[in-house]
Amino acid sequence: MPYTAKKSVLIRLARIWARPLWWGVQTSGNEQLMRADVDRWIECIGNDALVPLDAYSRFAYLAGALHEFRNVVHFRMRQSPLVVRIVLKKIYRPDRTILLESNSIGPGIFLHHGNGIMVSATSIGRNFWVNQHASVGYSPKGRPTIGDDVMVAAGAVVAGPIVLGDGVTIGANAVVVKDVPPGTIMAAPLAQPLRKRT
């Protein structure tokens, strides 16, 4: 549902619909983190019509239009009372193909084309960007630690008790099982023909 200025009626409805979800965020004590997430999503989406909206309208739009955003909201509500979390998860369903699991995730996490994303890390820094079908998680020895401003592209696998330094980019379909120093770009080899079809 790309937002245009002509859809202001839908935004007004979304503001009503999303009010209990926003209340759930407020009960968690993570309202400031959620505001930073909203700002990051608006920046990453790049739709200029969303920029002038107030913070709560942006939240309401994202919660209504992007199911993957709701996964982030539910992660931020982990400190809310159990009953609140259960009820809100039933009403505002997250994407079941997305797993977010970490002791902490810094502000500005963005799930791009959220589908089939699995992230399990000891900690994740600010402005983490992850694409569809990426897998970040356990090996038999442990799970990763992710720095600030890290991007993990579509289909990539990051596994084990490794560290991705600040500013790291993991390219599409890359498999990473060793520490990556800050600022490094890791890329998978391009596909090569084995033989011509006859």
Side-chain angles (χ1 to χ4, degrees):
M1 162 176 125
Y3 178 73
T4 64
K6 294 179 182 177
K7 293 186 177 176
S8 60
V9 172
L10 292 176
I11 284 294
R12 285 195 286 268
L13 292 173
R15 286 176 56 85
I16 295 166
W17 173 83
R19 183 60 63 185
L21 191 61
W22 182 246
W23 172 79
V25 170
Q26 290 174 317
T27 66
S28 73
N30 285 327
E31 184 177 342
Q32 291 308 313
L33 277 173
M34 191 77 257
R35 287 179 184 273
D37 293 334
V38 168
D39 289 345
R40 172 84 163 145
W41 280 66
I42 296 300
E43 175 189 320
C44 292
I45 289 169
N47 184 334
D48 292 340
L50 295 168
V51 174
L53 296 177
D54 63 273
Y56 175 67
S57 294
R58 291 170 164 193
F59 172 85
Y61 167 80
L62 293 169
L66 301 170
H67 54 88
E68 60 267 43
F69 178 76
R70 290 195 294 270
N71 288 74
V72 175
V73 176
H74 288 296
F75 180 85
R76 295 298 185 206
M77 289 193 305
R78 291 177 311 152
Q79 285 80 29
S80 295
L82 179 62
V83 173
V84 171
R85 286 183 283 139
I86 290 171
V87 170
L88 291 177
K89 204 170 258 192
K90 290 285 185 192
I91 298 170
Y92 304 95
R93 293 180 185 264
D95 185 314
R96 292 182 186 202
T97 70
I98 297 172
L99 169 72
L100 290 178
E101 183 182 89
S102 183
N103 297 338
S104 67
I105 297 178
I109 183 173
F110 180 63
L111 312 179
H112 193 232
H113 300 305
N115 192 325
I117 295 172
M118 197 286 283
V119 176
S120 181
T122 54
S123 66
I124 299 170
R126 64 175 49 246
N127 297 330
F128 178 56
W129 174 310
V130 61
N131 279 79
Q132 69 274 21
H133 304 293
S135 180
V136 177
Y138 285 95
S139 75
K141 295 180 180 178
R143 58 187 183 158
T145 300
I146 300 170
D148 295 336
D149 303 306
V150 171
M151 178 181 182
V152 178
V157 174
V158 177
I162 63 173
V163 175
L164 302 185
D166 295 347
V168 163
T169 298
I170 306 299
N173 298 316
V175 176
V176 178
V177 294
K178 294 183 179 178
D179 290 352
V180 181
T184 304
I185 298 172
M186 302 292 286
L190 293 175
Q192 300 293 324
L194 296 178
R195 61 183 175 84
K196 291 184 179 179
R197 289 181 76 175
T198 54

